[in-house]
């Protein structure tokens, strides 16, 4: 009998999504079948937030955009998100980011790759994790975006290059109202790089809320000479709130 057999007997794993006991899943919070059936965004998707659009929604539009993102000009060229921040996706993310379950990184990163298209990664020279301030990273012990980017790098062979630095601490986006969120990341990031910058990069972060953080990162990268900036995230909050 293995140690885990007795542990499972004493502390059975109950899926927080379906309420069933399970053996194989994500840590002790989510069964594999709930994780596998996360409803993912399918093409066509809004190019600025990754949300699915009805198949013919933008046949005549200048850009494939959801109503929230509108027709405005953005620095981000393309965003891929796995799905809306709810249900099993939310439970998995919560365990990963807030309950110290770093081991979930490969499941989350695998989902980010399988829910995107090969074309999204084509020609990408570097993966750039969205940085935390040094202070926050010390507090938390790790940066979830770096863990995800590292896993994606291993699976895709695209090198990880942490060329962004956070120079101004700001409040966590998820704790703020919409107006504050839009202002919050301004001036918070800087490019740090020795040597030439890549021309095509994908930013990696765990959640897209208003997109303000990713936009600010994309702006800084483009001003430094990067030509194309995409972003890969695990979850997208269902509405721009
Ligand atoms: Zn389940
Ligand atoms: Zn959108």
């Amino acid at each position: 009998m293995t140690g885990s057999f007795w542990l499972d007997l004493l502390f059975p794993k109950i899926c927080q999504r379906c309420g069933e006991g399970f053996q194989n899943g994500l840590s002790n919070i989510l069964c594999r079948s709930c994780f596998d059936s996360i409803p993912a965004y399918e093409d066509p998707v809004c190019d600025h937030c990754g949300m699915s659009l009805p198949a013919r929604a933008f046949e005549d539009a200048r850009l494939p955009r959801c109503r929230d993102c509108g027709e405005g000009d953005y620095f981000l060229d393309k965003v891929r998100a796995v799905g809306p921040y709810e249900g099993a996706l939310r439970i998995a993310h919560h365990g990963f980011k807030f309950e110290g379950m770093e081991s979930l990184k490969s499941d989350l990163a695998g989902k980010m790759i399988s829910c995107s298209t090969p074309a999204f990664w084509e020609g990408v020279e570097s993966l750039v994790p969205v940085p935390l301030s040094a202070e926050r990273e010390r507090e938390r012990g790790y940066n979830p975006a770096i863990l995800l980017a590292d896993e994606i790098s291993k699976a895709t062979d695209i090198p990880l290059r942490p060329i962004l630095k956070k120079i101004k601490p700001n409040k966590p986006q998820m704790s703020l109202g919409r107006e504050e969120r839009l202002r919050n990341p301004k001036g918070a990031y800087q490019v740090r790089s020795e040597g030439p910058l890549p021309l095509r990069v994908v930013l990696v972060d765990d959640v897209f809320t208003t997109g303000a953080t990713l936009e600010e990162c994309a702006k800084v990268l483009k001003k430094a000479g990067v030509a194309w900036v995409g972003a890969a995230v695990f979850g997208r909050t269902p509405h721009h709130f």
Side-chain angles (χ1 to χ4, degrees):
M1 294 294 160
T2 62
S4 74
F5 172 85
W6 293 109
L7 276 176
D8 287 348
L9 210 62
L10 283 168
F11 306 104
K13 297 176 184 171
I14 305 293
C15 175
Q16 291 180 18
R17 176 71 177 153
C18 67
E20 298 288 324
F22 68 94
Q23 295 287 327
N24 172 28
L26 275 72
S27 186
N28 59 351
I29 53 171
L30 202 59
C31 75
R32 181 61 54 186
S33 120
C34 281
F35 184 68
D36 288 346
S37 44
I38 282 175
Y41 289 137
E42 283 174 18
D43 275 318
V45 295
C46 169
D47 70 359
H48 186 250
C49 71
M51 187 177 80
S52 286
L53 298 169
R56 289 148 54 127
F58 58 93
E59 266 178 353
D60 304 318
R62 189 170 65 92
L63 295 159
R65 293 273 176 79
C66 73
R67 207 178 305 154
D68 285 339
C69 295
E71 292 260 305
D73 288 324
Y74 294 109
F75 291 99
L76 281 168
D77 290 290
K78 180 97 190 150
V79 176
R80 286 305 310 211
V82 171
Y85 194 72
E86 60 193 23
L89 184 149
R90 186 171 182 279
I91 294 167
H93 174 262
H94 206 271
F96 170 64
K97 184 161 180 178
F98 300 109
E99 295 166 47
M101 298 174 187
E102 290 172 53
S103 60
L104 303 192
K105 62 187 179 183
S106 56
D107 285 302
L108 270 60
K111 202 76 153 169
M112 288 163 75
I113 297 169
S114 66
C115 292
S116 58
T117 57
F120 176 72
W121 305 100
E122 220 171 87
V124 172
E125 293 163 66
S126 307
L127 299 172
V128 182
V130 172
L132 293 176
S133 66
E135 190 189 6
R136 180 159 290 276
E137 193 162 339
R138 250 197 321 276
E139 247 170 53
R140 190 181 282 286
Y142 62 96
N143 174 356
I146 294 181
L147 298 186
L148 293 175
D150 189 42
E151 290 296 312
I152 295 172
S153 173
K154 282 186 220 156
T156 58
D157 281 333
I158 300 170
L160 172 70
R161 263 187 87 184
I163 50 176
L164 282 176
K165 183 178 157 187
K166 191 154 190 196
I167 50 168
K168 189 186 90 177
N170 53 1
K171 298 179 189 149
Q173 288 291 85
M174 290 180 91
S175 68
L176 303 172
R178 178 171 165 79
E179 289 307 312
E180 274 185 294
R181 281 174 189 210
L182 294 174
R183 275 196 311 271
N184 192 35
K186 298 239 180 298
Y189 301 93
Q190 201 175 59
V191 171
R192 59 151 183 216
S193 178
E194 301 88 46
L197 286 173
L199 283 180
R200 200 174 169 92
V201 308
V202 165
L203 289 160
V204 177
D205 208 357
D206 53 345
V207 175
F208 181 107
T209 47
T210 58
T213 298
L214 288 164
E215 261 299 295
E216 186 66 16
C217 290
K219 180 174 100 183
V220 167
L221 286 167
K222 285 203 162 163
K223 291 205 161 152
V226 178
W228 187 93
V229 182
V233 296
F234 184 59
R236 174 205 185 277
T237 51
H239 303 288
H240 284 201
F241 61 83

